[in-house]
Amino acid sequence: MTREFDTYVENLKYRVLREVAKQAWNDTLLENLLDIPKIIHPSKVPTMRCCVYKERAILTKRVKLAMGGNKDNHNVIEVISIACDECPAAGYDVTASCRGCLAHRCESVCKSGAISFDYAHAAHIDKTKCIECGKCASVCPFSAIVNRKRPCQNACKIKAISINEENIASIDADKCIACGACIYQCPFGAIMDKSFILNVIDMLKKSLRGEHKLYAVIAPSIYGQFTYAKLGQVISGLKKLGFSEVVEVALGADMVAQSEAEELAEKGFLTSSCCPAFVKYIKSAYPELLPYVSSNLSPMATIAKYLKDKNDSAKVVFIGPCTAKKAEIQLDTVKPYVDSVLTYEELQALFDSRDIDISTLEEETIESASYYGRNFAGSGGVAGAVEQGLMEHGSDFKLNACVCNGIEECRAALARKSRDMLSANFIEGMACDGGCIGGAGCLSHGAKNKAQVDQYGRQGKKSISESLSDLMRP
């Protein structure tokens, strides 16, 4: 089966996940583990690196991450060191645009003495002295000095990535919010999220043997992902894999919207709690604002708790676009309810590891959530759902929401709140641009995703109360 992906890096990741999953299904993973890199890249001709042996060495590291990664590293995002060696050294550099002018403004403003001139009068920067203040670049009349940041550093808006003494990217686990932006932006595929696909396959095998009931809890953004099939066919495919039942996360979003509306009216100010990357950022950067974070579990954990309260022997797997969910399920507050997480990338690999062509399957339906619950997937959707919750409760509390699209806007809003300069009474925080539909685990990152998810939302129930009354029906 040929699959289309945004980049070759995503295609490579998919092929590794598919092969690991295939071997796991056949109970031959340990037997063929060392052969997987050669299975994926059988040719002796290198396609990306200096030699085929380096390419296979990198694939070996990818296989390890597909199997869960370094158990001593609790961060769900890891750097593949051997793959991180092609980017130029980061920092300020003098380009060929330098005209060797007489003014030497760059030298004058450099307090660390890092700038010198060669025989042709061109400027040079001594990296051992440069403190990267950027003053030289700001005064150069030819804009000949540039700050060369690596793609992963540019992608990480919270500055959790630095370059170590070996010129390799390094992730500060205390700062990292596991949003996965660096994964998608690294052009060499040197950063990857750990996969729990083996754990899911084990649960699927036990489900097929009737040992437990296994729920697939799907995020609303799934509607714009498997473009070659209909949503009903995706649901059929999940059941063919071995899931007993498929449930919308949006039902959990309806529960959260209703509860969050009540909490907001009671407290007067709140931040959303549905995005684990946003909540982690508050914990690490603005801990003084933690009392304002909604006490609600995320929609994922909320619906999972509901399912396990109904059947305490059930298992729950969340399927969505979010790498940060892999970190969220390790929290003590969430661990009892969600057993594992798959991204859409991993789900595609899982389908193909079993040769399941979902486009050929009959369509199945699931219990429908509300328009507002489904709209949690896009920026502004949480605020809209909370406002609807207030209205359906008959509350006279007036929502004044600050909708933050991406972690930079989140940081700005939190900074204003920490200084008591924010007029809003609710912060909707989404770490990914566009909301969940911009998550790193998506199969497609195109702008069309939002339109498709909006269309899916309009097919939902017209009110939150209608959705929840149907859900609670015996």
Side-chain angles (χ1 to χ4, degrees):
M1 266 178 260
T2 302
R3 297 291 177 216
E4 292 185 7
F5 296 91
D6 288 354
T7 67
Y8 182 79
V9 169
E10 289 179 272
N11 178 269
L12 185 63
K13 180 180 181 181
Y14 154 79
R15 286 158 60 199
V16 170
L17 289 165
R18 181 188 61 188
E19 189 60 36
V20 167
K22 183 178 179 180
Q23 298 289 344
W25 279 112
N26 295 334
D27 295 319
T28 55
L29 182 57
L30 292 181
E31 178 185 343
N32 296 327
L33 183 60
L34 298 179
D35 295 326
I36 291 177
K38 193 171 182 179
I39 292 171
I40 293 171
H41 187 74
S43 172
K44 293 182 179 180
V45 180
T47 57
M48 301 168 287
R49 303 286 180 166
C50 58
C51 65
V52 69
Y53 305 105
K54 184 169 184 178
E55 290 191 16
R56 289 177 183 167
I58 294 171
L59 283 170
T60 299
K61 297 294 185 183
R62 284 185 162 275
V63 168
K64 182 177 180 179
L65 282 164
M67 295 174 62
N70 181 2
K71 299 297 187 288
D72 294 327
N73 180 359
H74 297 297
N75 200 25
V76 297
I77 312 292
E78 287 192 22
V79 177
I80 304 172
S81 298
I82 192 174
C84 184
D85 62 353
E86 299 291 342
C87 286
Y92 285 89
D93 273 330
V94 180
T95 69
S97 297
C98 177
R99 310 321 301 156
C101 65
L102 299 179
H104 287 194
R105 289 190 177 95
C106 55
E107 182 184 32
S108 300
V109 298
C110 182
K111 304 302 182 185
S112 60
I115 295 182
S116 60
F117 298 87
D118 63 17
Y119 66 93
H121 311 294
H124 292 275
I125 298 175
D126 184 341
K127 296 290 187 181
T128 63
K129 295 180 180 179
C130 178
I131 60 172
E132 298 192 13
C133 65
K135 290 181 179 178
C136 56
S138 67
V139 299
C140 177
F142 296 103
S143 300
I145 302 176
V146 296
N147 185 13
R148 298 191 187 277
K149 278 195 173 183
R150 290 187 175 185
C152 57
Q153 288 180 296
N154 275 327
C156 184
K157 306 304 182 183
I158 60 167
K159 304 187 187 311
I161 296 181
S162 59
I163 308 302
N164 66 21
E165 62 278 1
E166 297 176 339
N167 207 31
I168 302 297
S170 177
I171 299 174
D172 184 335
D174 291 330
K175 287 184 178 180
C176 179
I177 58 175
C179 66
C182 56
I183 299 171
Y184 183 66
Q185 292 300 330
C186 177
F188 291 99
I191 306 177
M192 183 174 162
D193 53 314
K194 296 174 181 177
S195 178
F196 303 146
I197 200 167
L198 295 184
N199 173 247
V200 174
I201 290 172
D202 181 62
M203 286 189 284
L204 285 167
K205 286 181 176 181
K206 290 176 179 175
S207 175
L208 289 166
R209 293 196 296 264
E211 294 182 26
H212 57 221
K213 187 167 185 177
L214 183 60
Y215 289 91
V217 173
I218 57 171
S221 54
I222 198 170
Y223 193 76
Q225 290 299 302
F226 296 85
T227 55
Y228 63 95
K230 297 177 181 178
L231 180 60
Q233 293 174 313
V234 177
I235 295 164
S236 294
L238 287 165
K239 291 186 176 180
K240 195 173 179 65
L241 277 172
F243 286 101
S244 314
E245 199 167 328
V246 183
V247 179
E248 282 197 271
V249 172
L251 291 167
D254 284 332
M255 295 178 184
V256 169
Q258 186 182 64
S259 180
E260 216 155 74
E262 293 177 5
E263 188 178 5
L264 174 60
E266 179 186 335
K267 294 182 176 178
F269 181 87
L270 216 57
T271 80
S272 60
S273 59
C274 58
C275 173
F278 172 63
V279 175
K280 170 73 186 296
Y281 181 62
I282 295 176
K283 288 179 181 177
S284 61
Y286 293 94
E288 70 276 12
L289 298 182
L290 279 173
Y292 296 113
V293 177
S294 169
S295 62
N296 286 277
L297 293 171
S298 68
M300 171 191 74
T302 299
I303 190 63
K305 182 179 184 302
Y306 171 80
L307 294 172
K308 287 205 169 183
D309 286 345
K310 286 177 59 180
N311 182 355
D312 57 10
S313 64
K315 300 291 183 182
V316 176
V317 176
F318 170 78
I319 300 170
C322 181
T323 52
K325 290 293 184 187
K326 295 181 179 184
E328 184 186 354
I329 64 168
Q330 298 176 37
L331 299 174
D332 291 339
T333 52
V334 178
K335 195 181 299 183
Y337 311 122
V338 186
D339 297 282
S340 200
V341 166
L342 287 176
T343 62
Y344 298 136
E345 291 176 317
E346 291 163 334
L347 179 57
Q348 183 65 77
L350 207 51
F351 281 143
D352 292 345
S353 72
R354 300 294 283 166
D355 294 322
I356 297 173
D357 182 357
I358 57 175
S359 66
T360 65
L361 302 178
E362 294 292 325
E363 291 187 66
E364 291 199 34
T365 59
I366 55 176
E367 180 69 47
S368 173
S370 78
Y371 162 79
Y372 303 95
R374 288 177 173 179
N375 215 30
F376 259 56
S379 178
V382 179
V386 170
E387 187 170 37
Q388 176 69 14
L390 288 166
M391 186 188 74
E392 290 186 26
H393 274 294
S395 173
D396 57 3
F397 186 92
K398 299 300 180 186
L399 177 72
N400 179 16
C402 175
V403 175
C404 301
N405 182 14
I407 201 64
E408 287 183 293
E409 291 187 10
C410 293
R411 181 177 60 221
L414 293 169
R416 292 200 302 274
K417 178 60 182 176
S418 68
R419 300 186 186 100
D420 200 26
M421 296 171 61
L422 187 73
S423 60
N425 54 28
F426 181 75
I427 298 177
E428 178 198 297
M430 293 282 195
C432 295
D433 290 338
C436 301
I437 57 176
C442 288
L443 287 168
S444 169
H445 295 78
K448 64 181 180 181
N449 293 352
K450 185 178 188 320
Q452 289 173 316
V453 173
D454 284 345
Q455 178 187 345
Y456 177 53
R458 287 193 292 273
Q459 295 170 13
K461 293 185 170 73
K462 303 306 179 187
S463 72
I464 295 170
S465 54
E466 180 189 356
S467 166
L468 295 182
S469 62
D470 287 348
L471 178 66
M472 304 301 178
R473 192 175 55 236

